[in-house]
């Protein structure tokens, strides 16, 4: 179910009359007049709501003798809300573009000629800055503490804090042998 289809369905479900129609159709297939009689509303009102429900993919119709019968499409309701939330968003590309612009803005603000002007106080911004510095380290290579300090010193004089924060943010790891860049 796409994001647009989910929104259309949720809008339909937010109306009490439509919800009552769906509850009735969950019991058995019905025609407009029978639904109107059962729910105590007019047949044109039921037809209006059935049209909205059909557009949302919640009900289907078929001809039976003289009547147009309506039935519940149960498969649409078997989709969990978690599945809907995990579906790729129509806005995913726009959000990715915004994230990239924000990231570039942070980099432009805190770096000048490849040097870090100041360590950001906000964790999100510091993470971006540390990721930029981490690119100076190769994967699958073990660095001594001195080598790490020299690389970080090219970006900022306070290499101790940056080294500690890079380990804390799991961009670098260490043991008795030395430091290495963690693969994402």
């Amino acid at each position: 179910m796409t994001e647009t289809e989910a929104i259309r369905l949720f809008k339909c479900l937010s109306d009490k009359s439509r919800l009552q129609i769906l509850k009735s159709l969950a019991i058995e297939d019905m025609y407009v007049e029978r639904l109107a009689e059962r729910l105590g509303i007019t047949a044109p009102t039921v037809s209006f709501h059935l049209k909205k429900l059909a557009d949302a993919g919640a009900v289907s119709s078929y001809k039976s003798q003289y009547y147009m019968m309506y039935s519940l499409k149960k498969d649409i309701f078997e989709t969990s809300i978690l599945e809907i939330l995990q579906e790729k968003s129509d806005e995913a590309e726009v959000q990715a573009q915004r994230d990239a612009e924000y990231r570039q803005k942070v980099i432009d603000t805190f770096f000048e000629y490849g040097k870090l002007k100041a360590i950001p106080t906000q964790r999100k911004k510091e993470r971006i800055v540390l990721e930029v510095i981490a690119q100076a380290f190769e994967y699958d290579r073990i660095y001594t503490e001195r080598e790490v300090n020299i690389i970080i010193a090219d970006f900022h004089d306070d290499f101790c804090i940056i080294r500690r924060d890079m380990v804390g943010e799991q961009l670098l790891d260490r043991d008795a042998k030395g430091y290495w860049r963690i693969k994402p």
Side-chain angles (χ1 to χ4, degrees):
M1 178 179 300
T2 67
E3 193 172 74
T4 306
E5 292 168 340
I7 290 169
R8 194 176 316 129
L9 178 63
F10 288 144
K11 282 182 179 179
C12 278
L13 295 176
S14 68
D15 185 273
K16 184 178 180 182
S17 296
R18 290 185 202 134
L19 204 51
Q20 293 304 317
I21 290 170
L22 291 172
K23 287 181 177 186
S24 295
L25 293 177
I27 297 168
E28 64 179 314
D29 294 357
M30 294 185 193
Y31 53 95
V32 172
E33 291 77 14
R34 175 73 179 109
L35 280 166
E37 178 185 305
R38 184 170 204 187
L39 301 174
I41 53 179
T42 65
T45 302
V46 170
S47 292
F48 170 79
H49 289 306
L50 283 169
K51 170 80 169 100
K52 293 283 187 185
L53 290 166
D55 290 345
V59 298
S60 61
S61 61
Y62 61 93
K63 191 94 169 154
S64 175
Q65 295 178 353
Y66 304 109
Y67 298 105
M68 183 62 75
M69 300 294 289
Y70 290 88
S71 62
L72 182 68
K73 284 180 139 180
K74 293 181 180 171
D75 60 319
I76 199 166
F77 295 103
E78 292 172 354
T79 304
S80 75
I81 291 178
L82 187 59
E83 289 173 313
I84 293 169
L85 294 176
Q86 290 173 336
E87 184 71 30
K88 185 178 179 191
S89 173
D90 298 339
E91 300 275 323
E93 290 178 25
V94 174
Q95 291 171 354
Q97 178 66 29
R98 286 184 193 136
D99 288 345
E101 289 170 2
Y102 176 78
R103 182 180 173 79
Q104 190 58 51
K105 181 180 173 187
V106 169
I107 292 169
D108 292 344
T109 300
F110 287 95
F111 284 94
E112 188 172 82
Y113 305 112
K115 286 285 260 183
L116 183 61
K117 294 190 279 187
I119 299 172
T121 54
Q122 283 186 346
R123 186 167 188 246
K124 181 179 179 180
K125 292 178 181 178
E126 183 184 15
R127 172 71 189 201
I128 293 169
V129 166
L130 295 175
E131 286 172 353
V132 170
I133 295 171
Q135 292 173 357
F137 295 89
E138 298 173 24
Y139 291 112
D140 302 323
R141 178 175 169 204
I142 296 177
Y143 295 88
T144 65
E145 187 170 316
R146 178 175 160 69
E147 290 172 318
V148 171
N149 292 345
I150 291 170
I151 292 171
I152 294 173
D154 287 342
F155 294 95
H156 195 270
D157 294 335
D158 199 347
F159 52 83
C160 293
I161 288 177
I162 293 176
R163 184 185 66 231
R164 181 197 67 213
D165 290 349
M166 289 179 77
V167 171
E169 286 290 329
Q170 297 180 343
L171 295 169
L172 292 180
D173 203 357
R174 67 178 175 202
D175 64 11
K177 293 181 233 167
Y179 293 80
W180 62 91
R181 185 170 176 194
I182 297 174
K183 292 183 182 177

